[in-house]
Amino acid sequence: MSDTIALHLDGAATTSDSPAPDEAAWGASTWFAVLSMAAASFALVSAEFLPAGLLTPMARDLGVSQGVAGQVVTATASVGAVTALFSNVLIGRLNRKTVLVGLSALAIGSNILAALATDFWWLLLGRAGLGIALSGFWALSVAVVARVAGVNSIGRGMAIVTLGVSLATIAAPALGALISDWLGWRVAMAMTAGLAALAMLLQALSLPSLPATTSNSLSDVLRLTRRRGIQLGMLAILLLMTGHFAGSVYVRPFLEQVALLPTVPIALALLGFGIAAVVGNVAGGRLADANIRMALVTTSALMGLAAFALVLAGAHVAVAFIFVTLWGFAFGMAPVVLPTNLSRAAPDALEATGSLMVVSFQVAITIGAVVGGYAVDTYGAIAPLTLTAILAASTVVLALLQRRS
């Protein structure tokens, strides 16, 4: 990018304690700073996905149905979607390091409150606090990575940060279930507070001071939506992530009903999905920095191909395993490629762009879950994956409409 763009970046290199390094010049301090962000993402997302492994004992202990207990996930996502629009407005001109450390502290308190909850409403309150911490962290993530790692290393930096997401997605539900069986669901919930405390310590020690260089207003955030690049970037998130969450939630029913797989092979297929997502995460960071347009085309094309192949030939076990794994690889690329793509449309307003990014993701998750649920109930297990293929193909077309970079 040009020097002009670099100087207009939210917190350009010259405003922090030390110059933001280019990719080739990453030193120990840069690595520690980025890894502290990855630790925070792992802690936050582990807490977000933990209820998937705790639902039965949690519902039984609090005296509610499993369907009601499942709303703790809805509470986190819905509060996060609303908070994302206002997070960068409310923090004003606070030092961004202070904000990130404070968000980790909020996650600690929220997880402790959830672990000690004596009724369902206290649990919901704790989960709402986690939603605020999650949305605030992700809204700032791209801008902070750009400041500590360099403008030209956003893809690489975000790949490391979102690696925490991939690992948490794999580990949190399974480990949560095991720990809850051994020690109880409250202990499992409390352990996420410990992860957040470790992340907070790492951020306090590793992040440089990040003085605010701008104070966003809601009108500033909304004004960005007039830019064609922002519109296309948000639409890409909505299309691809709506498609992903519409289909991925129902991969297990598909493998059970279409591929006729028993429990153990299904678990192995989902493990392959998770491992491939980690690999895709790294690949996505490299490709995003090299050619963001091609990265978006590749990500959406691979996801569409995987879903389409499963719809056509998923009854064959080998096909099911191969293309569930390919889907995982594409999904691993998406959390890196989509935010990087959106940030390229507004390098002068990365914090405000981060808010729009979080809102887009949360809306996509909500729509995907609702539409996917309707599709599987109405048309069967193949329908959600068909929707995934269609929306991923639409994202390929959208990516081709974007300017080359």
Side-chain angles (χ1 to χ4, degrees), residues 21-205:
D22 292 327
E23 179 178 354
W26 277 30
S29 61
T30 301
W31 276 106
F32 284 134
V34 174
L35 288 173
S36 75
M37 294 285 287
S41 77
F42 178 76
L44 290 168
V45 176
S46 291
E48 181 181 19
F49 285 117
L50 191 67
L54 309 180
L55 212 56
T56 300
M58 188 167 61
R60 183 174 58 247
D61 190 35
L62 296 176
V64 296
S65 70
Q66 291 189 24
V68 171
Q71 298 311 304
V72 298
V73 177
T74 305
T76 305
S78 58
V79 171
V82 174
T83 304
L85 267 181
F86 300 97
S87 58
N88 287 325
V89 176
L90 296 175
I91 62 176
R93 302 192 68 85
L94 290 173
N95 189 296
R96 280 16 182 181
K97 176 180 179 178
T98 302
V99 173
L100 288 171
V101 172
L103 290 171
S104 292
L106 175 60
I108 295 171
S110 298
N111 289 326
I112 291 174
L113 178 60
L116 298 176
T118 55
D119 60 49
F120 181 68
W121 295 107
W122 281 109
L123 178 63
L124 276 186
L125 182 61
R127 299 295 294 183
L130 178 65
I132 295 172
L134 274 161
S135 65
F137 173 83
W138 289 117
L140 285 174
S141 59
V142 175
V144 170
V145 166
R147 292 180 69 172
V148 301
V151 180
N152 294 322
S153 293
I154 290 177
R156 183 189 184 192
M158 286 303 295
I160 295 171
V161 173
T162 57
L163 183 61
V165 177
S166 298
L167 294 175
T169 303
I170 298 170
L175 289 178
L178 289 174
I179 294 169
S180 67
D181 285 345
W182 294 338
L183 304 172
W185 70 270
R186 295 181 186 277
V187 173
M189 194 76 74
M191 289 181 69
T192 60
L195 290 176
L198 178 60
M200 183 177 71
L201 178 62
L202 291 174
Q203 287 176 316
L205 295 175

Side-chain angles (χ1 to χ4, degrees), residues 345-373:
D348 56 323
L350 289 185
E351 290 188 3
T353 301
S355 293
L356 295 175
M357 180 266 290
V358 175
V359 171
S360 300
F361 267 96
Q362 297 289 3
V363 169
I365 292 170
T366 303
I367 295 175
V370 172
V371 174

